[in-house]
Amino acid sequence: MGLLSKKDTKLITDPLADNNPITIQVLGICSALAITAELKASIVMAVSVLFVLGIGNVVISLLRNVIPSKIRIIVQLVVVAALVIIVDQVLKAFAYELSKTLSVFVGLIITNCIIMGRFEAFALGNGPWRSFLDGIGNAAGYGVILIIVGFFRELLGSGTLLGFPVLGNPIPGEQTGLYALGYENNGFMLLSPMALIVIGIIIWIQRSRNKDLIED
Amino acid sequence: MEKRTDKNSYTILFAVVMVVVVGALLAFTASSLKPSITENQRLEKQQNILYALGINDNDESNAVFISTAKAPEAFKNNVTDQLVITIDASGKIVKTQTRDEYVAETKQEPYLIDVKKEQENAKNGKNRKLPLFVGQRDGNTYYVAPIYGKGLWDAIWGYVAVDKDMVVQGAYFDHKGETPGLGANIKQRYFMDDFIGEHLLSEDGVFKGITVAKGNADPKNNNKTDNAVDAIAGATITGDGVTAMIKSDLKLYKPYFDTLKNN
């Protein structure tokens, strides 16, 4: 880590815990509820946002002195949208299978408030390298929460992880594993309200461990 | 921020330049990549049809297409004909063309017929072209029909293979933007495989379709003549979309299958 000064390291580590975009800044909640019904989708979304936010932050940071302040939000939106669409088109041409997995997320990435939030709050006022680190850090912090939520929702809702059955076979009449003992999947976990409750529990745990985070 | 960027003239100039630059960039990307994207989509259609026909590289639990390298060859060998059935607004068959007749007339392969466009034609009272792919698997003849409809967020579509009695022999579904983990699971094998063996007709030969049903008391799908498969939890509207597109699109083929029986 000789490349990173102490301040730079903080840019990456802060959003992972004490300044997490989802649990502290309350950004990106919408996608955290929408696509965390299974772990794989959470991981794909986390990686996509990492990519887009890292590059987008650099682009906005480079343009920060020429963007007219009156239309800066529109400019930011155009940058994200153009970036995402170009990536989508390139994937469609050269990695078709992958693009089909990702195409569902394109709309969600463009409208993700974390991306706009970081452009607005950080990239417009800082240099490209620091903006890049900030983007990576925040996307990672977002991704961690997404993956935690996806893990619990898929495990408790479908009894699988990444599509593999880990709790046994739930089909009536031929149950194995936990299901043979009378366990049942909680279908409610698959619906968005439970994602909010899981995030709520994470926020609770986080704030009870670090009292400084509790607002008045 | 500098003063100069607050001026109206600067703002407008910036907006214009941005739109032109980004627009040109996107247009350039789209048009230069278009040939390979179209080629990918063409191969995908072949893979879809072959999948419904039962020709795929499925492993134990996942749906896997036959590879793009092998698809054109397999398509040529297994899809023996591509019929194009033209029906009028009342559903009566106007004419039935073989692939060669259709290609001679339109210079287009029948499997590239845009089902959505044909649905719109029918809505406007025009004739509708119904492609039907005649395929061979293990010495049996199956008929693959494309279907198209809408799910919760966007389009859903698929291919259904049936035998001459309209018993389903294979199904493939896909979607543009259904919710990952819920509606998106219509392209999972456990859902698509449930359709195999299901009857589209009732016992007295009336077209009933297949309903994606909640609580049909048949989660293992043992009853193949109940015209129903088990729904996906949390994906009601996508499931209803599948039910609707099977009902509306496959019903149109019924008159053709009637003629098969009479011969």
Side-chain angles (χ1 to χ4, degrees):
Chain A
M1 283 277 183
L3 203 59
L4 301 174
S5 69
K6 220 172 190 172
K7 236 165 105 194
D8 287 348
T9 320
K10 244 177 111 58
L11 282 176
I12 291 198
T13 52
D14 252 13
L16 285 175
D18 290 349
N19 195 16
N20 189 283
I22 294 184
T23 61
I24 308 295
Q25 304 174 36
V26 202
L27 290 173
I29 292 282
C30 6
S31 50
L33 303 191
I35 50 107
T36 48
E38 58 184 22
L39 188 54
K40 188 180 151 205
S42 307
I43 295 173
V44 172
M45 185 69 184
V47 174
S48 312
V49 168
L50 192 77
F51 181 78
V52 173
L53 192 52
I55 296 188
N57 249 3
V58 171
V59 174
I60 292 291
S61 171
L62 289 171
L63 291 173
R64 70 186 186 282
N65 292 327
V66 295
I67 296 175
S69 57
K70 284 177 196 157
I71 56 166
R72 65 182 192 282
I73 302 274
I74 299 176
V75 175
Q76 291 161 12
L77 198 60
V78 168
V79 168
V80 203
L83 211 66
V84 172
I85 292 171
I86 289 174
V87 172
D88 184 53
Q89 292 279 315
V90 170
L91 286 178
K92 260 197 189 127
F94 301 112
Y96 196 67
E97 283 302 303
L98 184 63
S99 87
K100 275 171 57 193
T101 322
L102 287 174
S103 63
V104 184
F105 298 93
V106 169
L108 282 167
I109 296 169
I110 295 176
T111 54
N112 193 318
C113 28
I114 287 192
I115 294 180
M116 299 293 283
R118 290 330 290 172
F119 285 179
E120 184 72 13
F122 198 90
L124 276 178
N126 289 282
W129 171 239
R130 291 180 42 111
S131 297
F132 176 71
L133 295 179
D134 177 78
I136 297 292
N138 275 280
Y142 164 81
V144 165
I145 301 293
L146 228 62
I147 289 168
I148 295 176
V149 177
F151 176 84
F152 284 109
R153 285 183 75 189
E154 188 176 348
L155 182 69
L156 301 177
S158 317
T160 59
L161 281 178
L162 292 172
F164 293 105
V166 288
L167 299 180
N169 182 357
I171 296 172
E174 43 186 82
Q175 285 115 324
T176 58
L178 270 182
Y179 297 99
L181 303 171
Y183 172 83
E184 279 201 35
N185 286 329
N186 182 353
F188 196 39
M189 285 303 287
L190 295 174
L191 307 178
S192 316
M194 282 311 286
L196 196 57
I197 292 177
V198 174
I199 292 176
I201 294 173
I202 297 174
I203 292 179
W204 178 28
I205 295 173
Q206 193 181 10
R207 290 182 194 209
S208 65
R209 288 171 57 107
N210 184 351
K211 302 270 192 242
D212 293 344
L213 296 174
I214 302 173
E215 296 93 347
D216 295 321
Chain B
M1 206 155 288
E2 296 161 43
K3 261 261 149 328
R4 136 188 102 87
T5 59
D6 286 341
K7 276 204 208 128
N8 280 343
S9 54
Y10 178 81
T11 305
I12 293 172
L13 185 72
F14 187 91
V16 170
V17 170
M18 176 183 74
V19 168
V20 170
V21 169
V22 174
L25 190 66
L26 288 182
F28 173 76
T29 319
S31 60
S32 58
L33 294 177
K34 193 152 185 247
S36 35
I37 294 176
T38 321
E39 174 67 9
N40 282 336
Q41 286 166 340
R42 194 179 68 81
L43 285 174
E44 188 195 5
K45 279 194 171 157
Q46 294 191 346
Q47 288 174 315
N48 288 175
I49 294 168
L50 288 169
Y51 185 93
L53 203 53
I55 297 162
N56 48 48
D57 291 347
N58 279 354
D59 58 21
E60 255 170 45
S61 58
N62 296 307
V64 186
F65 287 145
I66 188 165
S67 71
T68 46
K70 279 190 277 174
E73 181 72 24
F75 194 76
K76 213 159 84 195
N77 291 340
N78 291 287
V79 178
T80 48
D81 202 354
Q82 304 176 42
L83 302 174
V84 179
I85 306 160
T86 309
I87 59 166
D88 63 15
S90 67
K92 250 191 17 225
I93 298 176
V94 180
K95 62 179 171 182
T96 305
Q97 292 167 298
T98 62
R99 175 193 170 266
D100 296 342
E101 287 165 359
Y102 185 79
V103 173
E105 187 190 312
T106 61
K107 309 268 180 289
Q108 189 202 20
E109 290 279 340
Y111 72 88
L112 297 176
I113 288 177
D114 185 346
V115 181
K116 187 182 165 199
K117 220 181 255 165
E118 295 302 324
Q119 282 179 348
E120 275 159 18
N121 282 349
K123 224 185 266 167
N124 299 330
K126 287 192 228 156
N127 285 352
R128 175 171 174 178
K129 288 183 203 133
L130 301 172
L132 184 65
F133 314 107
V134 185
Q136 300 286 335
R137 194 188 80 213
D138 309 330
N140 298 313
T141 303
Y142 298 134
Y143 302 87
V144 185
I147 52 180
Y148 187 94
K150 57 174 188 289
L152 173 60
W153 303 115
D154 213 323
I156 54 175
W157 61 90
Y159 292 88
V160 179
V162 297
D163 65 10
K164 64 180 191 332
D165 298 318
M166 292 194 95
V167 175
V168 177
Q169 301 296 333
Y172 178 77
F173 300 112
D174 207 344
H175 63 94
K176 191 162 172 205
E178 297 307 298
T179 321
L182 302 174
N185 284 355
I186 57 168
K187 61 184 296 190
Q188 292 291 321
R189 206 151 142 223
Y190 69 82
F191 182 71
M192 300 192 292
D193 281 1
D194 268 2
F195 285 81
I196 297 172
E198 285 284 339
H199 292 239
L200 281 165
L201 307 179
S202 71
E203 268 162 53
D204 37 9
V206 182
F207 184 88
K208 297 258 305 221
I210 296 170
T211 305
V212 178
K214 289 197 271 187
N216 65 334
D218 184 23
K220 283 173 79 181
N221 202 35
N222 289 326
N223 185 351
K224 297 291 187 188
T225 53
D226 60 355
N227 302 101
V229 295
D230 203 32
I232 300 170
T236 308
I237 297 184
T238 311
D240 288 350
V242 173
T243 306
M245 71 177 175
I246 288 177
K247 271 208 177 105
S248 60
D249 274 3
L250 290 182
K251 190 177 183 177
L252 303 173
Y253 289 89
K254 175 80 174 23
Y256 177 78
F257 283 91
D258 288 341
T259 64
L260 278 184
K261 213 165 276 174
N262 295 338
N263 290 339

